[in-house]
């Protein structure tokens, strides 16, 4: 089953290119033919000349980054992007979510949908879409949200898994919190699952674990690509009966708490353990069958109304991933993102209280009401997650 | 890729503009080794092949034939523009891009804005349209003029409002040269305040530049280069004041100062012209740095001012460059941002600098910089991989800071001193279309602006608690 990746904005196009690079070199470097075939089928298509072309649509409102990503891919010699799989304009979205969502999105809807359709037609069986974007800027966040909505409308039976990069807390874009709030509030209604990488955390990985001295965005993007690849590459799941699972993401994230919660509101700072709703543990490489994973089934980790054996999914692949003899990836639906999310909402709310920058959004079609709706949605999410026990 | 059009008005505007084009050519020649007309060049230049029919416009990707600046040059005297046309830059301008008259504006804003503004309105609009038509995707107008005189200040601001009328969706960034208190034009406070009202109402961003700051920087570099101590020898073409390597052979008196402003414009557009790991487009500048429509005055600060020639001395540490950007010696207006309030700040870095260097320095400098309560992490950052000529890296900081308030208050004081005595007022009032209300309204506009900054300043001392959050019904 195939996945169509949609790379949106500068971040999306930079991360996407690194992701395909990781997947391609992982798939090709391996002596397990089945793994290689499944992986290639999932993310690439083979041209008549035997070259690998990524199943990807590249979207940006200005051309520099797409040009760079496409030529970087071609230079690798191992894979490339389709010649006509990209859409760009001349002028960016100016870090303005409203410009992306209200103006660029609708204006270019037909062209983008056409690109999607062509890519989908190349798939024997479409599993779903992975839009890759940042939340801080204007195109990734605004156009990305609009495109996600289109995908939802046109392909209702395919999954949509959004990969989001959250910016550094200390600021890359001044209005990043506004853009993030607007994006997340909308995606919550549209997306099947949202996978998040925070630049601050990835930066720490680069400096503390990888000991990189002068960290560049390439380094950051490569770590993200590695982790994302670790999630998306083929695995054997309990349900797939000895074959590689056909779905890269098969968890049902849609959980609802039981009604009538009796006075259990917990404050964020109550030093609470990071409670999980669900965890996906993926093991790759040597000794996957003998690894001890009991700790992940401890009921203390999970919310009281979900039994651990339903909440934990365990996938394995005996094939080493990206040259790591053994690797493990944990995808967690838990309170881990609560603090960063709350910080983001708090800062955005403070700015909104003074009405700073609002005129820039109103200019393109987002009203104060729209802002309030988004804030309300996110406060509800924060509240639901805070109350997990 | 987008294009920008430079509109230079008046003597000062044209002298600065001239330096800009010279240095722009130098910068592109440095980077563009294959003589191809690329996207970066096309942002400021057209490529024209006179042998081709229909105007001879050449597309991106071909060889460079004749580069023509995307510019409109306006002056009500002929001296400066004719000087440009006789100099080495003459090939870069078409006669159709010029608008001149002979008598000048007599340092009178009303003559520039009203008399010439009306007389030449259609001609100006035509030339602007022509320049815009040559652009595939016009993103920004850069307007350059002084505030203290008559043409730059009066006609320049008339052009600004024409730009808003005719091209409402195109960003308007104004580089405005403010006179020092010791300016020899007596009526410069009148001209400046009358112009300020226009800037406040019609510009998207204003980069105020004070003559005195430019003089100070020139003197500082002069001192450095006359310092014969070993290890202090400057690489001549690397100074922010140098025009060496450019088209013009000799440097004229104000060239050094004007080169600084030209470099400011080169740096502000670098990320939209060249590649980088974190691009910053021109429309992102207004978006991030202007929280309220009228508060769009951005303090520019440029570093480094020079690089040292001695290769045995290790390259000036990167971190020092960041510190310098926040020192008063590198600012282009005399103000004290560290003791006022930052509303927002943009750091545009060029050269071999990575995101970790950026983060490290922001973390280091942040504690000493007072930011407004609702924008505690108000940084907009850009990384462009191509450094300026003669440097391995550079930094342009643009700060929206309440420190402009004292500058504006001083201006208001100088204005009021004259206005109270009705000094020289008759020169203005006898111009057709000029009413006394223009003076009082401009004064009110300036006062209102000062009041807005003052309001924000007042929050500095107070500890502002977080705004109470929305409470969600369970």
């Amino acid at each position: 089953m195939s996945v169509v990746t949609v790379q949106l904005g500068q971040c999306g196009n930079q991360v996407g290119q690194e992701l395909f690079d990781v997947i391609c070199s992982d798939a090709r470097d391996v002596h397990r033919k089945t793994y290689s075939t499944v992986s290639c089928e999932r993310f690439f298509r083979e041209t008549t000349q035997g070259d690998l072309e990524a199943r990807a649509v590249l979207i940006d409102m200005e051309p520099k980054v797409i040009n760079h990503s496409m030529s970087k891919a071609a230079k690798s010699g191992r894979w490339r992007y389709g010649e006509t799989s990209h859409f760009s304009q001349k002028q960016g979205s100016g870090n303005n979510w409203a410009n992306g969502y209200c103006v660029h999105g609708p204006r270019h809807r037909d062209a983008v949908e056409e690109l999607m359709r062509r890519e989908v037609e190349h798939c024997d069986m479409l599993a779903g879409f992975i839009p890759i974007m940042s939340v801080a800027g204007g195109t990734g966040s605004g156009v990305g949200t609009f495109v996600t909505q289109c995908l939802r409308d046109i392909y209702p039976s395919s999954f949509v898994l959004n990969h989001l990069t959250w910016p550094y807390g200390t600021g890359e874009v001044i209005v990043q919190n506004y853009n993030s709030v607007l994006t997340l509030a909308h995606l919550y209604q549209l997306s099947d699952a949202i996978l998040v990488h925070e630049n601050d955390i990835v930066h720490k990985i680069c400096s503390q674990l990888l000991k990189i001295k002068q960290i560049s965005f390439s380094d950051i993007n490569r770590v993200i690509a590695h982790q994302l690849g670790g999630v998306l590459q083929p695995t054997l799941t309990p349900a797939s009966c000895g074959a590689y699972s056909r779905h890269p993401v098969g968890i049902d994230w849609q959980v609802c708490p039981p009604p009538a919660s009796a006075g259990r509101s917990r404050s964020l700072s109550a030093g609470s353990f990071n409670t999980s709703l669900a965890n996906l543990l993926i093991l790759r490489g040597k000794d996957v069958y003998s690894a001890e994973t009991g700790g992940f089934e401890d009921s203390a980790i999970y919310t009281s109304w979900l039994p651990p054996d339903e909440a934990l999914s365990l996938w394995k692949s005996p094939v080493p991933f990206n040259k790591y003899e053994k690797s493990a990836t944990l995808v967690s639906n838990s309170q881990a993102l609560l603090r960063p999310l709350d910080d983001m909402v708090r800062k955005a709310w403070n700015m909104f209280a003074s009405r700073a920058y609002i005129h820039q959004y109103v200019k393109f079609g987002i009203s104060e009401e729209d802002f309030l709706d988004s804030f309300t949605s996110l406060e509800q999410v924060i509240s639901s997650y805070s109350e997990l026990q | 890729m987008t294009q920008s059009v430079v509109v230079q008005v008046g003597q000062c505007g044209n002298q600065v503009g001239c330096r800009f084009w010279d240095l722009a050519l130098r910068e592109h020649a440095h980077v563009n080794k294959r003589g191809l007309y690329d996207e970066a060049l096309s942002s400021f230049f057209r490529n024209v092949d006179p042998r081709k029919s229909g105007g001879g416009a050449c597309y991106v990707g071909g060889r460079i034939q004749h580069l023509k600046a995307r510019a409109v040059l306006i002056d009500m005297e002929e001296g400066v523009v004719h000087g440009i046309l006789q100099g080495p830059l003459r090939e870069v301008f078409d006669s159709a891009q010029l608008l001149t008259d002979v008598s000048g504006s007599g340092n009178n804003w009303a003559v520039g804005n009203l008399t010439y503004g009306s007389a030449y309105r259609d001609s100006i609009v035509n030339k602007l349209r022509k320049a815009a038509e040559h652009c595939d995707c016009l993103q920004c107008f850069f307007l350059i003029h002084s505030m203290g005189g008559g043409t730059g200040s009066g006609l320049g601001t008339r052009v600004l409002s024409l730009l808003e009328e005719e091209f409402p969706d195109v960003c308007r960034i104004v580089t405005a040269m403010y006179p020092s208190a010791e300016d020899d034009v007596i009526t410069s406070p009148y001209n400046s305040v009358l112009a300020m009202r226009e800037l406040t109402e019609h510009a998207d961003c204003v980069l105020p530049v004070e003559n005195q700051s430019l003089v100070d920087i020139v003197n500082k570099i002069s001192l450095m280069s006359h310092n014969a101590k070993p290890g202090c020898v400057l690489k001549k073409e690397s100074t922010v004041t140098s025009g060496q390597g450019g088209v013009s052979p000799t440097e004229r008196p104000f060239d050094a100062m004007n080169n600084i402003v030209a470099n400011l414009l080169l740096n502000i557009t670098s990320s939209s012209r060249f590649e980088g790991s974190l691009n910053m487009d021109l429309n992102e500048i207004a978006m991030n740095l202007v929280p309220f429509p009228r508060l769009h005055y951005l303090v520019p600060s440029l570093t480094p001012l020079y690089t040292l020639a001695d290769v045995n001395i290790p390259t000036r540490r990167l971190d020092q460059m960041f510190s310098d950007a926040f020192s008063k010696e590198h600012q282009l207006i005399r103000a004290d941002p560290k003791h006022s309030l930052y509303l927002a700040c943009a750091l545009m870095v060029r050269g071999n600098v990575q995101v970790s260097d950026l983060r490290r320095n922001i973390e280091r400098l942040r504690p000493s910089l007072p930011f407004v309560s609702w924008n505690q992490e108000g940084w907009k950052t850009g990384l462009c991989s191509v450094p300026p000529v003669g440097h391995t890296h550079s930094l342009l900081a643009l700060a929206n800071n309440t420190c402009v308030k004292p500058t504006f208050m001083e201006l208001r004081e100088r204005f009021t001193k004259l206005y109270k005595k009705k000094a020289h007022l008759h020169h203005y009032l006898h111009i057709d279309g000029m009413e006394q209300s223009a003076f009082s309204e401009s004064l009110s506009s300036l006062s209102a602006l000062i009041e807005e900054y003052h309001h924000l300043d007042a929050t500095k001392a107070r500890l502002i608690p977080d705004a109470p959050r929305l409470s969600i019904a369970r």
Side-chain angles (χ1 to χ4, degrees):
Chain A
M1 288 195 80
S2 307
V3 163
V4 172
T5 304
V6 188
Q7 311 183 174
L8 297 138
Q10 173 163 24
C11 175
N13 279 289
Q14 282 173 193
V15 168
Q17 187 268 322
E18 296 286 359
L19 175 63
F20 280 108
D21 218 41
V22 162
I23 291 179
C24 182
S25 72
D26 178 55
R28 286 236 140 140
D29 271 358
V30 118
H31 307 296
R32 310 289 182 104
K33 194 148 192 299
T34 330
Y35 180 89
S36 183
T37 312
V38 172
S39 173
C40 288
E41 170 64 27
R42 191 175 280 179
F43 294 104
F44 296 93
R45 47 190 160 76
E46 228 174 276
T47 63
T48 42
Q49 291 91 5
D51 300 322
L52 281 185
E53 270 184 13
R55 297 188 192 276
V57 176
L58 295 75
I59 302 174
D60 203 353
M61 291 303 110
E62 62 103 354
K64 289 197 300 288
V65 182
I66 287 187
N67 289 343
H68 190 83
S69 294
M70 287 184 71
S71 70
K72 216 171 152 203
K75 272 199 209 122
S76 76
R78 288 170 287 137
W79 68 280
R80 58 167 200 258
Y81 287 106
E83 273 309 303
T84 53
S85 301
H86 60 101
F87 177 83
S88 64
Q89 287 297 279
K90 309 239 173 54
Q91 188 171 186
S93 305
N95 286 167
N96 190 322
W97 191 91
N99 195 5
Y101 184 81
C102 305
V103 177
H104 285 135
R107 184 181 289 169
H108 306 300
R109 180 193 195 125
D110 291 342
V112 168
E113 282 181 5
E114 175 60 25
L115 277 185
M116 281 322 166
R117 206 184 45 79
R118 266 197 264 145
E119 203 54 59
V120 167
E121 263 166 29
H122 282 130
C123 301
D124 275 340
M125 283 196 74
L126 175 71
F129 301 89
I130 304 184
I132 306 184
M133 58 212 244
S134 72
V135 291
T139 299
S141 71
V143 177
T145 303
F146 185 83
V147 166
T148 303
Q149 197 165 291
C150 294
L151 290 174
R152 255 284 156 271
D153 290 338
I154 306 176
Y155 306 95
S157 52
S158 308
F159 73 76
V160 176
L161 163 63
N162 287 76
H163 175 267
L164 304 182
T165 301
W166 286 19
Y168 286 96
T170 50
E172 289 171 36
V173 168
I174 292 176
V175 290
Q176 64 191 38
N177 297 314
Y178 279 165
N179 294 335
S180 306
V181 164
L182 291 163
T183 306
L184 288 171
H186 281 77
L187 286 185
Y188 241 83
Q189 309 303 323
L190 299 168
S191 193
D192 286 309
I194 301 173
L195 269 179
V196 176
H197 271 104
E198 298 165 77
N199 270 351
D200 280 305
I201 306 293
V202 179
H203 190 106
K204 274 206 206 114
I205 291 177
C206 289
S207 65
Q208 291 167 8
L209 293 183
L210 299 176
K211 308 277 192 242
I212 302 177
K213 287 264 153 61
Q214 226 200 353
I215 301 168
S216 66
F217 270 117
S218 290
D219 298 317
I220 305 262
N221 294 340
R222 261 183 238 124
V223 170
I224 295 178
H226 173 86
Q227 293 197 340
L228 203 42
V231 175
L232 299 173
Q233 282 290 60
T235 53
L236 305 164
T237 72
S240 65
C241 308
Y244 285 110
S245 135
R246 307 171 84 215
H247 252 278
V249 183
I251 293 188
D252 179 13
W253 296 107
Q254 311 282 47
V255 287
C256 289
S261 24
R264 297 178 313 149
S265 28
R266 271 173 150 242
S267 74
L268 283 178
S269 53
S272 45
F273 187 83
N274 177 36
T275 310
S276 293
L277 277 172
N279 283 312
L280 165 61
L281 178 62
I282 305 176
L283 300 176
R284 299 180 184 275
K286 219 171 126 194
D287 302 333
V288 285
Y289 297 113
S290 49
E292 175 49 59
T293 57
F296 290 91
E297 289 172 47
D298 190 343
S299 58
I301 305 179
Y302 298 97
T303 184
S304 53
W305 40 267
L306 270 180
D309 54 350
E310 281 180 30
L312 174 68
S313 295
L314 192 49
W315 296 357
K316 301 181 184 182
S317 162
V319 176
F321 169 66
N322 207 14
K323 306 189 179 39
Y324 281 72
E325 190 186 61
K326 292 192 206 180
S327 61
T329 309
L330 178 66
V331 184
S332 193
N333 184 351
S334 70
Q335 294 177 317
L337 278 177
L338 202 38
R339 173 119 278 151
L341 181 60
D342 188 71
D343 277 346
M344 173 197 287
V345 173
R346 176 178 54 84
K347 290 186 226 174
W349 186 246
N350 278 335
M351 195 178 266
F352 185 69
S354 69
R355 294 297 184 275
Y357 300 100
I358 298 298
H359 71 284
Q360 308 268 19
Y361 290 84
V362 168
K363 197 161 66 169
F364 289 105
I366 292 290
S367 67
E368 288 189 19
E369 275 302 303
D370 296 319
F371 270 97
L372 282 171
D373 286 342
S374 295
F375 278 114
T376 310
S377 287
L378 288 188
E379 293 284 12
Q380 267 161 350
V381 172
I382 292 173
S383 168
S384 308
Y385 272 89
S386 301
E387 291 183 356
L388 289 182
Q389 205 186 9
Chain B
M1 199 68 117
T2 59
Q3 294 79 42
S4 300
V5 171
V6 174
V7 186
Q8 29 195 99
V9 187
Q11 175 177 17
C12 177
N14 277 290
Q15 281 173 340
V16 171
C18 181
R19 297 314 312 142
F20 169 75
W21 292 111
D22 196 334
L23 291 183
L25 283 169
R26 180 177 81 159
E27 183 169 271
H28 280 280
H30 198 78
V31 169
N32 187 331
K33 295 299 183 199
R34 295 187 300 159
L36 286 179
Y37 178 60
D38 58 10
E39 293 278 8
L41 259 178
S42 103
S43 64
F44 277 112
F45 295 92
R46 294 158 46 212
N47 190 20
V48 172
D49 184 350
R51 298 166 299 181
K52 278 174 63 172
S53 61
C58 299
Y59 294 112
V60 169
R63 290 207 67 77
I64 295 174
Q65 303 289 346
H66 283 110
L67 292 177
K68 295 281 179 205
R70 297 188 192 279
V72 178
L73 289 67
I74 301 174
D75 202 354
M76 293 298 101
E77 283 174 331
E78 296 182 308
V80 177
V81 173
H82 277 199
I84 295 176
L85 291 182
Q86 266 138 27
L89 284 176
R90 61 181 167 277
E91 299 295 322
V92 168
F93 304 107
D94 229 273
S95 58
Q97 297 169 250
L98 319 171
L99 180 67
T100 57
D101 200 303
V102 287
S103 0
S105 305
N107 285 324
N108 187 326
W109 182 91
V111 171
N113 190 278
L114 297 167
T115 313
Y116 286 126
S118 311
Y120 287 109
R121 185 198 188 282
D122 291 343
S123 182
I124 291 172
V125 171
N126 280 339
K127 290 180 193 293
L128 292 172
R129 289 220 157 279
K130 235 344 183 353
E133 269 159 34
H134 284 134
C135 297
D136 213 3
C137 180
L138 175 60
Q139 183 175 58
C140 184
F141 282 107
F142 283 102
L143 191 53
I144 313 178
H145 61 78
S146 69
M147 298 289 280
T151 303
S153 170
L155 189 53
T157 48
R158 182 60 114 96
V159 170
L160 178 62
S161 63
L162 286 175
L163 287 175
E164 189 179 35
E165 230 178 275
E166 302 287 325
F167 309 92
D169 295 329
V170 180
C171 193
R172 294 170 295 283
I173 299 185
V174 182
T175 306
M177 260 66 68
Y178 282 72
S180 335
E182 310 80 28
D183 195 76
D184 52 4
V185 175
I186 300 183
T187 48
S188 66
Y190 282 162
N191 296 329
S192 303
V193 173
L194 289 163
M196 270 226 45
R197 178 212 188 160
E198 305 297 313
L199 293 185
T200 302
E201 283 176 27
H202 304 296
D204 289 308
C205 284
V206 178
L207 306 171
V209 175
E210 269 186 274
N211 263 347
Q212 192 55 50
S213 301
L214 299 180
V215 169
D216 291 343
I217 290 176
V218 170
N219 288 339
K220 179 168 188 233
I221 292 176
S222 223
L223 231 81
M224 261 318 268
S225 55
H226 289 124
N227 187 339
K229 276 206 319 236
C232 285
V233 178
L234 298 182
K235 256 165 64 173
K236 272 284 153 50
E237 75 280 4
S238 74
T239 66
V240 76
T241 52
S242 159
Q244 265 200 342
V247 183
S248 309
T250 50
E251 288 199 353
R252 291 166 308 163
F254 285 105
D255 277 355
M257 287 165 62
N258 294 337
N259 282 334
I260 300 174
V261 186
N263 274 309
L264 162 64
L265 286 172
L266 280 179
N267 286 334
I268 214 180
T269 54
S270 59
S271 193
S272 41
R273 288 178 292 138
F274 301 116
E275 270 186 2
S277 60
L278 191 57
N279 297 330
M280 191 189 313
D281 218 350
L282 289 168
N283 53 5
E284 292 171 23
I285 294 179
M287 175 63 185
N288 283 282
L289 294 178
V290 182
F292 304 103
R294 280 182 307 281
L295 303 188
H296 55 240
Y297 292 86
L298 309 177
V299 178
S301 183
L302 277 176
T303 89
L305 299 178
Y306 51 79
T307 49
L308 300 174
D310 192 333
V311 293
N312 291 322
I313 306 293
T315 337
R316 184 164 262 244
R317 281 182 59 225
L318 202 53
D319 290 13
Q320 184 61 45
M321 178 178 79
F322 282 89
S323 303
D324 285 344
F326 290 93
S327 93
K328 289 196 268 184
E329 297 178 323
H330 292 256
Q331 282 164 213
L332 302 192
I333 70 167
R334 285 180 303 168
D336 193 1
K338 283 198 187 171
H339 293 103
S340 306
L341 200 58
Y342 279 89
L343 303 180
C345 187
L347 296 175
M348 305 182 68
V349 185
R350 297 180 67 173
N352 184 17
V353 182
Q354 303 304 339
V355 64
S356 52
D357 302 311
L358 203 47
R359 304 320 315 168
R360 180 181 67 247
N361 280 286
I362 289 179
E363 264 171 54
R364 184 173 62 86
L365 293 166
R366 175 66 186 84
S368 63
L369 304 171
F371 270 78
V372 72
S373 67
W374 41 259
N375 207 0
Q376 288 288 305
E377 285 95 11
W379 297 94
K380 167 64 180 162
T381 56
L383 291 169
C384 169
S385 33
V386 177
V389 174
H391 297 274
T392 47
H393 37 72
S394 77
L395 172 60
L396 166 65
L398 291 174
N400 191 340
N401 188 302
T402 58
C403 68
V404 292
K405 187 183 77 177
T407 310
F408 296 156
M409 286 173 73
E410 221 182 78
L411 183 60
R412 182 175 60 180
E413 221 180 278
R414 282 186 261 147
F415 174 95
T416 318
K417 234 162 120 180
L418 288 175
Y419 192 53
K420 262 196 333 230
K421 298 183 285 184
K422 306 232 186 294
H424 307 283
L425 223 46
H426 57 283
H427 291 303
Y428 293 79
L429 296 178
H430 91 248
I431 299 297
D432 217 6
M434 189 66 177
E435 308 277 347
Q436 181 138 359
S437 55
F439 281 86
S440 47
E441 280 164 17
S442 300
L443 185 57
S444 306
S445 164
L446 184 54
S447 292
L449 184 67
I450 291 171
E451 199 41 48
E452 272 192 70
Y453 280 112
H454 185 74
H455 218 62
L456 286 161
D457 255 343
T459 65
K460 184 164 182 249
R462 289 191 261 135
L463 197 57
I464 310 285
D466 282 342
R469 299 272 287 272
L470 293 174
S471 53
I472 303 300
R474 297 277 175 263

